[in-house]
Amino acid sequence: MSELVSTRIRTTAAKLGLPHLAESLNQYDGRADEAKMGYLDFLDLVLAEELAIRDDRRFRQGLRLSKLPHHKTLDEYDFAFQSELDPRKIKDLATLAFVEAKANAALLGPPGVGKTHIAVALSVAACRAGFSVYFTTLDDMVRQLKVAEAAGRLNSKLRTYLRPGVLVVDEVGYQPLERAEANLVFQVISKRYEKGSIILTSNKTFSEWGQVFGDEVLATAILDRLPHHCDVVSINGPSYRLKNRLAAIERDTNVA
Ligand code: ADP
Ligand code: MG
């Protein structure tokens, strides 16, 4: 390959936003020679590799922006431990059909059953599929919105929660909200309605949400929108956090 041509390819690749191609031109050239590739196979290789690199970069950037607390996957979730949970329900969610449909998913159950783990795993999958994701706890979202409202920046802060394709609202119901706080949550939920997905986790059933939102009218308005187009998965089983402790107790009892 002449110096002139390789320089021109590097310049063109940079203009097209393909820095990897610019960097690995010699390597590509070598690989094509070695495998005695035809022109089309070579073009196919270059384009496929550039796309894979771009997708991976976007995925990693998306994960950084998502504020997910960790990046656990469904492969790390032990379905055998949670025997009453039908794995098919979670695997259906993992197809992300609900995200495509801008519908919602609710994971309900007591502490430690893996609600956050599953919400995160679905989010990582959504991120890999190219959806933007943002993770927050309900309390943190309310706190952020209140601060922004006090500073006259409510609309701009609301956009943080309205823009992503998937908004994860973790830990709904741990703290009861005041009326003004519930109203902020209502704004997020009503503005996202049929525009983007929410994955929420809660230790309360929907029927207990009246207490969470402190105001029956607001709770009803929220419940009017959320469970509509919502896959609800109730996980009613043992806490995984207690798993090792329970195993230890069992061991001790067997010894005694
Ligand atoms: P929750 O949100 O329901 O309180 P978490 O998702 O925070 O529970 O789970 C608590 C811890 O236990 C996390 O580290 C999570 O990864 C792990 N965990 C929960 N359930 C399972 C499971 N069935 N298999 C593997 N790890 C699990
Ligand atoms: Mg949790």
Side-chain angles (χ1 to χ4, degrees):
M1 190 166 34
S2 81
E3 224 12 68
L4 184 69
V5 172
S6 57
T7 306
R8 198 165 57 218
I9 292 178
R10 284 199 184 88
T11 313
T12 313
K15 283 187 184 158
L16 284 170
L18 301 170
H20 175 74
L21 172 55
E23 283 157 23
S24 29
L25 190 55
N26 290 342
Q27 199 209 347
Y28 273 134
D29 193 28
R31 280 163 70 185
D33 255 356
E34 211 168 286
K36 300 199 173 19
M37 264 180 219
Y39 298 120
L40 287 180
D41 283 338
F42 180 62
L43 190 57
D44 184 40
L45 167 85
V46 172
L47 292 178
E49 204 153 296
E50 292 307 310
L51 182 65
I53 282 170
R54 182 179 286 188
D55 280 352
D56 190 57
R57 198 184 317 128
R58 201 202 41 210
F59 172 55
R60 276 180 292 122
Q61 164 87 343
L63 279 186
R64 253 197 316 278
L65 296 174
S66 70
K67 305 272 175 65
L68 286 167
H70 51 73
H71 300 148
K72 288 192 182 175
T73 63
L74 285 184
D75 289 339
E76 294 167 83
Y77 189 83
D78 179 4
F79 283 96
F81 179 77
Q82 212 51 260
S83 58
E84 278 180 38
L85 172 62
D86 183 352
R88 282 175 301 185
K89 280 193 176 169
I90 305 301
K91 294 194 172 137
D92 278 351
L93 288 176
T95 65
L96 303 175
F98 78 102
V99 177
E100 299 273 358
K102 303 178 192 313
N104 304 319
L107 301 158
L108 310 179
V113 294
K115 301 182 297 298
T116 303
H117 182 136
I118 293 171
V120 166
L122 295 173
S123 302
V124 172
C127 199
R128 192 180 287 284
F131 293 98
S132 53
V133 173
Y134 194 76
F135 179 100
T136 177
T137 62
L138 181 76
D139 291 344
D140 197 49
M141 179 170 82
V142 166
R143 203 174 317 121
Q144 299 286 341
L145 289 172
K146 276 167 76 175
V147 169
E149 189 174 36
R153 288 186 290 103
L154 180 60
N155 279 336
S156 120
K157 197 70 198 175
L158 272 172
R159 277 199 288 280
T160 304
Y161 303 104
L162 299 179
R163 210 171 17 211
V166 177
L167 177 69
V168 186
V169 184
D170 199 26
E171 301 188 351
V172 174
Y174 281 72
Q175 303 270 355
L177 300 179
E178 290 175 2
R179 194 170 190 291
E181 296 172 334
N183 191 34
L184 291 169
V185 177
F186 173 70
Q187 288 198 49
V188 172
I189 287 172
S190 62
K191 289 191 169 120
R192 281 190 72 85
Y193 182 64
E194 293 183 339
K195 293 210 187 73
S197 296
I198 296 177
I199 301 175
L200 70 87
T201 79
S202 180
N203 60 345
K204 301 268 195 309
T205 60
F206 284 141
S207 60
E208 293 167 313
W209 277 32
Q211 305 151 26
V212 175
F213 290 96
D215 179 307
E216 284 294 338
V217 178
L218 268 174
T220 311
I222 289 173
L223 281 171
D224 229 28
R225 288 161 178 82
L226 249 192
H228 190 216
H229 312 304
C230 186
D231 290 312
V232 181
V233 180
S234 297
I235 312 175
N236 291 307
S239 164
Y240 197 83
R241 289 198 191 94
L242 298 179
K243 181 186 155 176
N244 293 334
R245 266 160 60 194
L246 290 176
I249 291 169
E250 212 158 89
R251 248 194 337 267
D252 291 351
T253 343
N254 286 344
V255 167

PDB file of all heavy atoms in Angstrom, residues 72 76-79 81-82 110-117 174 240-241, ligand 1:
ATOM      1  N   LYS A  72     -24.651  -6.397  37.331  1.00  0.00           N
ATOM      2  CA  LYS A  72     -24.935  -7.837  37.393  1.00  0.00           C
ATOM      3  C   LYS A  72     -25.879  -8.239  36.273  1.00  0.00           C
ATOM      4  O   LYS A  72     -26.684  -7.431  35.814  1.00  0.00           O
ATOM      5  CB  LYS A  72     -25.553  -8.183  38.744  1.00  0.00           C
ATOM      6  CG  LYS A  72     -24.540  -8.116  39.870  1.00  0.00           C
ATOM      7  CD  LYS A  72     -25.058  -8.723  41.143  1.00  0.00           C
ATOM      8  CE  LYS A  72     -23.994  -8.573  42.217  1.00  0.00           C
ATOM      9  NZ  LYS A  72     -24.455  -9.031  43.525  1.00  0.00           N
ATOM     10  N   GLU A  76     -26.057 -14.316  36.499  1.00  0.00           N
ATOM     11  CA  GLU A  76     -25.576 -14.360  37.887  1.00  0.00           C
ATOM     12  C   GLU A  76     -26.726 -14.537  38.868  1.00  0.00           C
ATOM     13  O   GLU A  76     -26.515 -14.527  40.079  1.00  0.00           O
ATOM     14  CB  GLU A  76     -24.808 -13.074  38.221  1.00  0.00           C
ATOM     15  CG  GLU A  76     -23.527 -12.937  37.430  1.00  0.00           C
ATOM     16  CD  GLU A  76     -22.950 -11.523  37.537  1.00  0.00           C
ATOM     17  OE1 GLU A  76     -22.263 -11.243  38.531  1.00  0.00           O
ATOM     18  OE2 GLU A  76     -23.208 -10.719  36.609  1.00  0.00           O
ATOM     19  N   TYR A  77     -27.950 -14.621  38.367  1.00  0.00           N
ATOM     20  CA  TYR A  77     -29.117 -14.765  39.245  1.00  0.00           C
ATOM     21  C   TYR A  77     -29.465 -16.242  39.363  1.00  0.00           C
ATOM     22  O   TYR A  77     -29.682 -16.929  38.363  1.00  0.00           O
ATOM     23  CB  TYR A  77     -30.306 -13.971  38.686  1.00  0.00           C
ATOM     24  CG  TYR A  77     -31.462 -13.899  39.649  1.00  0.00           C
ATOM     25  CD1 TYR A  77     -31.489 -12.955  40.671  1.00  0.00           C
ATOM     26  CD2 TYR A  77     -32.524 -14.797  39.552  1.00  0.00           C
ATOM     27  CE1 TYR A  77     -32.538 -12.896  41.567  1.00  0.00           C
ATOM     28  CE2 TYR A  77     -33.581 -14.743  40.452  1.00  0.00           C
ATOM     29  CZ  TYR A  77     -33.584 -13.792  41.445  1.00  0.00           C
ATOM     30  OH  TYR A  77     -34.624 -13.738  42.341  1.00  0.00           O
ATOM     31  N   ASP A  78     -29.508 -16.738  40.611  1.00  0.00           N
ATOM     32  CA  ASP A  78     -29.766 -18.151  40.865  1.00  0.00           C
ATOM     33  C   ASP A  78     -31.281 -18.373  40.982  1.00  0.00           C
ATOM     34  O   ASP A  78     -31.868 -18.153  42.036  1.00  0.00           O
ATOM     35  CB  ASP A  78     -29.026 -18.541  42.159  1.00  0.00           C
ATOM     36  CG  ASP A  78     -29.239 -19.998  42.531  1.00  0.00           C
ATOM     37  OD1 ASP A  78     -29.894 -20.726  41.760  1.00  0.00           O
ATOM     38  OD2 ASP A  78     -28.740 -20.402  43.599  1.00  0.00           O
ATOM     39  N   PHE A  79     -31.883 -18.807  39.860  1.00  0.00           N
ATOM     40  CA  PHE A  79     -33.341 -19.001  39.860  1.00  0.00           C
ATOM     41  C   PHE A  79     -33.743 -20.163  40.771  1.00  0.00           C
ATOM     42  O   PHE A  79     -34.835 -20.177  41.326  1.00  0.00           O
ATOM     43  CB  PHE A  79     -33.847 -19.233  38.429  1.00  0.00           C
ATOM     44  CG  PHE A  79     -33.927 -17.959  37.630  1.00  0.00           C
ATOM     45  CD1 PHE A  79     -32.888 -17.585  36.795  1.00  0.00           C
ATOM     46  CD2 PHE A  79     -35.029 -17.125  37.734  1.00  0.00           C
ATOM     47  CE1 PHE A  79     -32.945 -16.399  36.070  1.00  0.00           C
ATOM     48  CE2 PHE A  79     -35.094 -15.937  37.018  1.00  0.00           C
ATOM     49  CZ  PHE A  79     -34.051 -15.574  36.187  1.00  0.00           C
ATOM     50  N   PHE A  81     -32.669 -20.834  43.636  1.00  0.00           N
ATOM     51  CA  PHE A  81     -32.822 -20.350  45.015  1.00  0.00           C
ATOM     52  C   PHE A  81     -34.205 -19.724  45.215  1.00  0.00           C
ATOM     53  O   PHE A  81     -34.785 -19.811  46.292  1.00  0.00           O
ATOM     54  CB  PHE A  81     -31.727 -19.321  45.346  1.00  0.00           C
ATOM     55  CG  PHE A  81     -31.843 -18.764  46.729  1.00  0.00           C
ATOM     56  CD1 PHE A  81     -31.434 -19.508  47.831  1.00  0.00           C
ATOM     57  CD2 PHE A  81     -32.393 -17.507  46.949  1.00  0.00           C
ATOM     58  CE1 PHE A  81     -31.563 -19.005  49.116  1.00  0.00           C
ATOM     59  CE2 PHE A  81     -32.528 -16.997  48.224  1.00  0.00           C
ATOM     60  CZ  PHE A  81     -32.111 -17.746  49.322  1.00  0.00           C
ATOM     61  N   GLN A  82     -34.724 -19.086  44.156  1.00  0.00           N
ATOM     62  CA  GLN A  82     -36.025 -18.389  44.259  1.00  0.00           C
ATOM     63  C   GLN A  82     -37.054 -19.268  43.551  1.00  0.00           C
ATOM     64  O   GLN A  82     -37.517 -18.950  42.455  1.00  0.00           O
ATOM     65  CB  GLN A  82     -35.883 -17.006  43.594  1.00  0.00           C
ATOM     66  CG  GLN A  82     -36.714 -15.910  44.191  1.00  0.00           C
ATOM     67  CD  GLN A  82     -36.603 -15.759  45.677  1.00  0.00           C
ATOM     68  OE1 GLN A  82     -37.466 -16.225  46.405  1.00  0.00           O
ATOM     69  NE2 GLN A  82     -35.566 -15.104  46.149  1.00  0.00           N
ATOM     70  N   PRO A 110     -40.445  -8.617  49.057  1.00  0.00           N
ATOM     71  CA  PRO A 110     -39.709  -8.212  50.263  1.00  0.00           C
ATOM     72  C   PRO A 110     -38.219  -8.004  49.988  1.00  0.00           C
ATOM     73  O   PRO A 110     -37.741  -8.356  48.904  1.00  0.00           O
ATOM     74  CB  PRO A 110     -39.930  -9.398  51.209  1.00  0.00           C
ATOM     75  CG  PRO A 110     -40.241 -10.555  50.329  1.00  0.00           C
ATOM     76  CD  PRO A 110     -40.921 -10.002  49.113  1.00  0.00           C
ATOM     77  N   PRO A 111     -37.481  -7.457  50.961  1.00  0.00           N
ATOM     78  CA  PRO A 111     -36.048  -7.192  50.746  1.00  0.00           C
ATOM     79  C   PRO A 111     -35.245  -8.468  50.474  1.00  0.00           C
ATOM     80  O   PRO A 111     -35.572  -9.527  50.994  1.00  0.00           O
ATOM     81  CB  PRO A 111     -35.593  -6.575  52.073  1.00  0.00           C
ATOM     82  CG  PRO A 111     -36.831  -6.105  52.746  1.00  0.00           C
ATOM     83  CD  PRO A 111     -37.948  -6.991  52.280  1.00  0.00           C
ATOM     84  N   GLY A 112     -34.226  -8.321  49.618  1.00  0.00           N
ATOM     85  CA  GLY A 112     -33.246  -9.396  49.441  1.00  0.00           C
ATOM     86  C   GLY A 112     -33.605 -10.457  48.419  1.00  0.00           C
ATOM     87  O   GLY A 112     -32.837 -11.387  48.184  1.00  0.00           O
ATOM     88  N   VAL A 113     -34.768 -10.323  47.765  1.00  0.00           N
ATOM     89  CA  VAL A 113     -35.159 -11.372  46.807  1.00  0.00           C
ATOM     90  C   VAL A 113     -34.553 -11.148  45.421  1.00  0.00           C
ATOM     91  O   VAL A 113     -34.712 -11.980  44.526  1.00  0.00           O
ATOM     92  CB  VAL A 113     -36.702 -11.502  46.689  1.00  0.00           C
ATOM     93  CG1 VAL A 113     -37.300 -11.999  48.004  1.00  0.00           C
ATOM     94  CG2 VAL A 113     -37.344 -10.188  46.252  1.00  0.00           C
ATOM     95  N   GLY A 114     -33.873  -9.998  45.251  1.00  0.00           N
ATOM     96  CA  GLY A 114     -33.173  -9.775  43.976  1.00  0.00           C
ATOM     97  C   GLY A 114     -33.900  -8.827  43.033  1.00  0.00           C
ATOM     98  O   GLY A 114     -33.652  -8.837  41.829  1.00  0.00           O
ATOM     99  N   LYS A 115     -34.749  -7.975  43.578  1.00  0.00           N
ATOM    100  CA  LYS A 115     -35.484  -7.025  42.723  1.00  0.00           C
ATOM    101  C   LYS A 115     -34.510  -6.077  42.009  1.00  0.00           C
ATOM    102  O   LYS A 115     -34.589  -5.872  40.803  1.00  0.00           O
ATOM    103  CB  LYS A 115     -36.481  -6.193  43.560  1.00  0.00           C
ATOM    104  CG  LYS A 115     -37.511  -7.030  44.304  1.00  0.00           C
ATOM    105  CD  LYS A 115     -38.499  -6.179  45.070  1.00  0.00           C
ATOM    106  CE  LYS A 115     -37.871  -5.321  46.186  1.00  0.00           C
ATOM    107  NZ  LYS A 115     -37.226  -6.132  47.248  1.00  0.00           N
ATOM    108  N   THR A 116     -33.589  -5.494  42.785  1.00  0.00           N
ATOM    109  CA  THR A 116     -32.627  -4.561  42.195  1.00  0.00           C
ATOM    110  C   THR A 116     -31.716  -5.297  41.210  1.00  0.00           C
ATOM    111  O   THR A 116     -31.436  -4.802  40.121  1.00  0.00           O
ATOM    112  CB  THR A 116     -31.806  -3.859  43.291  1.00  0.00           C
ATOM    113  OG1 THR A 116     -32.719  -3.207  44.181  1.00  0.00           O
ATOM    114  CG2 THR A 116     -30.863  -2.825  42.715  1.00  0.00           C
ATOM    115  N   HIS A 117     -31.287  -6.511  41.603  1.00  0.00           N
ATOM    116  CA  HIS A 117     -30.416  -7.317  40.736  1.00  0.00           C
ATOM    117  C   HIS A 117     -31.078  -7.507  39.366  1.00  0.00           C
ATOM    118  O   HIS A 117     -30.458  -7.254  38.318  1.00  0.00           O
ATOM    119  CB  HIS A 117     -30.171  -8.674  41.423  1.00  0.00           C
ATOM    120  CG  HIS A 117     -29.256  -9.603  40.681  1.00  0.00           C
ATOM    121  ND1 HIS A 117     -28.268 -10.330  41.300  1.00  0.00           N
ATOM    122  CD2 HIS A 117     -29.196  -9.953  39.375  1.00  0.00           C
ATOM    123  CE1 HIS A 117     -27.627 -11.069  40.404  1.00  0.00           C
ATOM    124  NE2 HIS A 117     -28.194 -10.853  39.221  1.00  0.00           N
ATOM    125  N   TYR A 174     -40.247   2.633  50.323  1.00  0.00           N
ATOM    126  CA  TYR A 174     -39.471   2.485  51.561  1.00  0.00           C
ATOM    127  C   TYR A 174     -39.784   3.632  52.520  1.00  0.00           C
ATOM    128  O   TYR A 174     -39.860   3.448  53.718  1.00  0.00           O
ATOM    129  CB  TYR A 174     -37.971   2.386  51.258  1.00  0.00           C
ATOM    130  CG  TYR A 174     -37.593   1.001  50.783  1.00  0.00           C
ATOM    131  CD1 TYR A 174     -37.960   0.548  49.520  1.00  0.00           C
ATOM    132  CD2 TYR A 174     -36.906   0.116  51.618  1.00  0.00           C
ATOM    133  CE1 TYR A 174     -37.645  -0.734  49.093  1.00  0.00           C
ATOM    134  CE2 TYR A 174     -36.581  -1.164  51.200  1.00  0.00           C
ATOM    135  CZ  TYR A 174     -36.958  -1.580  49.938  1.00  0.00           C
ATOM    136  OH  TYR A 174     -36.657  -2.857  49.519  1.00  0.00           O
ATOM    137  N   TYR A 240     -31.972 -13.515  49.658  1.00  0.00           N
ATOM    138  CA  TYR A 240     -30.674 -14.066  49.282  1.00  0.00           C
ATOM    139  C   TYR A 240     -29.601 -13.559  50.240  1.00  0.00           C
ATOM    140  O   TYR A 240     -28.590 -14.220  50.454  1.00  0.00           O
ATOM    141  CB  TYR A 240     -30.337 -13.663  47.848  1.00  0.00           C
ATOM    142  CG  TYR A 240     -29.257 -14.483  47.206  1.00  0.00           C
ATOM    143  CD1 TYR A 240     -29.541 -15.707  46.622  1.00  0.00           C
ATOM    144  CD2 TYR A 240     -27.940 -14.041  47.195  1.00  0.00           C
ATOM    145  CE1 TYR A 240     -28.560 -16.475  46.020  1.00  0.00           C
ATOM    146  CE2 TYR A 240     -26.935 -14.797  46.594  1.00  0.00           C
ATOM    147  CZ  TYR A 240     -27.256 -16.003  46.016  1.00  0.00           C
ATOM    148  OH  TYR A 240     -26.262 -16.753  45.428  1.00  0.00           O
ATOM    149  N   ARG A 241     -29.841 -12.367  50.794  1.00  0.00           N
ATOM    150  CA  ARG A 241     -28.854 -11.815  51.741  1.00  0.00           C
ATOM    151  C   ARG A 241     -28.738 -12.728  52.961  1.00  0.00           C
ATOM    152  O   ARG A 241     -27.701 -12.780  53.599  1.00  0.00           O
ATOM    153  CB  ARG A 241     -29.273 -10.417  52.197  1.00  0.00           C
ATOM    154  CG  ARG A 241     -29.145  -9.353  51.124  1.00  0.00           C
ATOM    155  CD  ARG A 241     -29.140  -7.968  51.717  1.00  0.00           C
ATOM    156  NE  ARG A 241     -29.277  -6.963  50.667  1.00  0.00           N
ATOM    157  CZ  ARG A 241     -30.437  -6.441  50.291  1.00  0.00           C
ATOM    158  NH1 ARG A 241     -31.562  -6.810  50.889  1.00  0.00           N
ATOM    159  NH2 ARG A 241     -30.483  -5.553  49.334  1.00  0.00           N
TER     160      ARG A 241
HETATM  161  P1  ADP B   1     -33.704  -6.499  46.687  1.00  0.00           P
HETATM  162  O1  ADP B   1     -33.529  -5.366  45.742  1.00  0.00           O
HETATM  163  O2  ADP B   1     -34.892  -7.369  46.369  1.00  0.00           O
HETATM  164  O3  ADP B   1     -33.702  -6.079  48.132  1.00  0.00           O
HETATM  165  P2  ADP B   1     -31.073  -7.231  45.759  1.00  0.00           P
HETATM  166  O4  ADP B   1     -31.274  -7.308  44.290  1.00  0.00           O
HETATM  167  O5  ADP B   1     -30.388  -6.036  46.290  1.00  0.00           O
HETATM  168  O6  ADP B   1     -32.447  -7.461  46.532  1.00  0.00           O
HETATM  169  O7  ADP B   1     -30.301  -8.549  46.232  1.00  0.00           O
HETATM  170  C1  ADP B   1     -29.466  -8.576  47.389  1.00  0.00           C
HETATM  171  C2  ADP B   1     -28.148  -9.260  47.049  1.00  0.00           C
HETATM  172  O8  ADP B   1     -28.363 -10.645  46.800  1.00  0.00           O
HETATM  173  C3  ADP B   1     -27.509  -8.718  45.783  1.00  0.00           C
HETATM  174  O9  ADP B   1     -26.121  -8.796  45.930  1.00  0.00           O
HETATM  175  C4  ADP B   1     -27.995  -9.673  44.698  1.00  0.00           C
HETATM  176  O10 ADP B   1     -27.093  -9.738  43.616  1.00  0.00           O
HETATM  177  C5  ADP B   1     -28.060 -10.984  45.445  1.00  0.00           C
HETATM  178  N1  ADP B   1     -29.141 -11.858  45.000  1.00  0.00           N
HETATM  179  C6  ADP B   1     -30.455 -11.770  45.305  1.00  0.00           C
HETATM  180  N2  ADP B   1     -31.151 -12.800  44.816  1.00  0.00           N
HETATM  181  C7  ADP B   1     -30.252 -13.576  44.161  1.00  0.00           C
HETATM  182  C8  ADP B   1     -30.353 -14.814  43.453  1.00  0.00           C
HETATM  183  N3  ADP B   1     -31.498 -15.482  43.338  1.00  0.00           N
HETATM  184  N4  ADP B   1     -29.209 -15.308  42.902  1.00  0.00           N
HETATM  185  C9  ADP B   1     -28.023 -14.670  43.037  1.00  0.00           C
HETATM  186  N5  ADP B   1     -27.866 -13.513  43.725  1.00  0.00           N
HETATM  187  C10 ADP B   1     -28.954 -12.970  44.276  1.00  0.00           C
END
